Amino acid sequence: MSEQTMRAVTIEGFGGPEVLTAGRVARPEPLPTEVLVRVQAAGINPVDWKTRAGHGMAGLQTLPLILGWDVSGVVEEVGFGVTTLAPGDEVYAMPWFPRPAGGYAEFVTAPSRQFARKPVSLSHVEAAALPLAALTAWQALVDTARVTRGQRVLVHAAAGGVGHLAVQFAKHLGAEVIATAREPRHTWLKELGADETIDYTRQRFEEATGKVDVVIDLIGAADDTDVRSVPVTRPGGLIVAVPGGVSDGLAAAAGQAGVRTSPLLVEPDAAALASIAGLVDSGTVRVEVERSFALERAAEAHRLGETNRTRGKLVLEVAR
């Protein structure tokens, strides 16, 4: 095949998983300060299937579109001015978010300083599962909530991609961690560091735990999880509302209770990825990959992801 093209999964229009089509497209070229990375694996996140369906970040995209923001791979070429990376370096990143990054493809280009060196202890499949989920958890706990030792942190949807990393980061920061998830995930979550686990299908979480300092809400308005989190948050405490931001209902309830709220949309951050890689390589944090798929089976992966029953992450193996 021509070196001017590459394998990729594209969408021509928004819709169901069936709009994901494997084919060949033009290979990108790095601009000055950018690197060309040969993608080995691409992580899948809820924003991917929401965008594919015409929601999420769909309004910021132009069709035809290559989805995917999580990548792990090898630097193939560097543009003029790049000094921090060289061909052959193994890297991982969440480039360009929320602009399109084109991760479901053999090659991506992005500014070199949006990439960090891949954790040496991980395969590319495992590393590709990290960036967006890990940065979301890190930016919620470290940068936004500024969690400190001894605080109590409640993590909703703790068994998911962001959630299982948030549990580990909160524990690393010295917090007491309460995790909501279905009962079959409880033993695993306690292995990751959760001090308390609550099966939200059997009991209301607000009746099962005491006051907390921080809530990492990865569910939002579904089942009024955001508003129901207010009574368990101490006055002056913080609810970080990740999906959809702070709803009107949450803002009103929190205001009356003296609870702070903050929306969060993850941003590229190579420095944080370098710190996360250090925690992974030291054995402090681990990432869970439930299943990987060949690139051409992206539609099947989306169908599984949309069940919202996966443990950890799903990944596309681009180089399989």
Side-chain angles (χ1 to χ4, degrees):
M1 291 292 181
S2 169
E3 292 185 359
Q4 303 305 311
T5 65
M6 65 178 181
R7 293 165 47 238
V9 171
T10 63
I11 63 172
E12 298 285 338
F14 300 116
E18 68 278 0
V19 303
L20 293 160
T21 304
R24 296 195 73 86
V25 301
R27 194 180 97 166
E29 296 294 331
L31 297 175
T33 75
E34 292 185 348
V35 292
L36 174 71
V37 172
R38 183 184 290 271
V39 179
Q40 301 296 301
I44 298 174
N45 295 285
V47 68
D48 296 14
W49 59 75
K50 291 176 183 178
T51 301
R52 185 215 70 225
H55 310 299
M57 297 296 150
L60 301 178
Q61 317 303 316
T62 301
L63 297 171
L65 171 66
I66 302 173
L67 288 169
W69 283 276
D70 277 344
V71 295
S72 181
V74 181
V75 175
E76 182 87 359
E77 183 182 338
V78 300
F80 176 79
V82 173
T83 61
T84 58
L85 295 172
D89 287 343
E90 294 189 317
V91 294
Y92 77 136
M94 184 200 71
W96 294 118
F97 190 84
R99 297 183 182 184
Y104 295 7
E106 286 186 296
F107 293 93
V108 297
T109 56
S112 64
R113 293 177 186 269
Q114 291 188 2
F115 289 88
R117 296 182 187 276
K118 178 185 76 68
V120 297
S121 60
L122 297 186
S123 67
H124 283 291
V125 168
E126 293 167 321
L130 271 172
L132 191 148
L135 286 175
T136 300
W138 185 272
Q139 290 169 13
L141 290 158
V142 177
D143 301 333
T144 304
R146 299 182 181 181
V147 169
T148 57
R149 184 170 299 279
Q151 288 188 315
R152 302 187 81 231
V153 175
L154 171 62
V155 180
H156 288 308
V162 177
H164 85 289
L165 293 163
V167 167
Q168 295 175 81
F169 291 156
K171 195 64 179 178
H172 170 68
L173 294 169
E176 180 182 344
V177 184
I178 303 97
T180 68
R182 291 173 180 264
E183 192 277 331
R185 310 295 196 204
H186 287 189
T187 298
W188 172 61
L189 285 170
K190 288 181 177 178
E191 291 174 357
L192 296 181
D195 297 286
E196 295 180 29
T197 50
I198 301 170
D199 185 344
Y200 62 92
T201 69
R202 297 181 179 179
Q203 59 185 149
R204 295 178 71 82
F205 66 84
E206 64 269 36
E207 298 173 356
T209 189
K211 293 286 187 179
V212 301
D213 299 283
V214 175
V215 176
I216 305 300
D217 180 13
L218 304 172
I219 298 177
D223 198 28
D224 293 325
T225 298
D226 56 351
V227 175
R228 290 167 49 213
S229 296
V230 173
V232 302
T233 308
R234 67 168 179 80
L238 176 67
I239 299 174
V240 182
V242 178
V246 179
S247 68
D248 291 342
L250 173 59
Q256 292 179 352
V259 169
R260 296 177 295 130
T261 61
S262 176
L264 176 74
L265 185 62
V266 65
E267 302 176 55
D269 187 343
L273 284 177
S275 297
I276 291 164
L279 292 176
V280 170
D281 285 337
S282 71
T284 303
V285 170
R286 67 181 194 254
V287 62
E288 181 80 8
V289 176
E290 173 155 312
R291 188 174 172 189
S292 64
F293 299 79
L295 176 65
E296 290 75 13
R297 295 173 63 193
E300 182 182 346
H302 273 226
R303 290 188 183 95
L304 177 58
E306 287 180 294
T307 66
N308 291 319
R309 291 292 179 265
T310 56
R311 175 170 131 167
K313 294 293 297 294
L314 303 174
V315 178
L316 296 178
E317 294 190 54
V318 179
R320 175 183 281 186

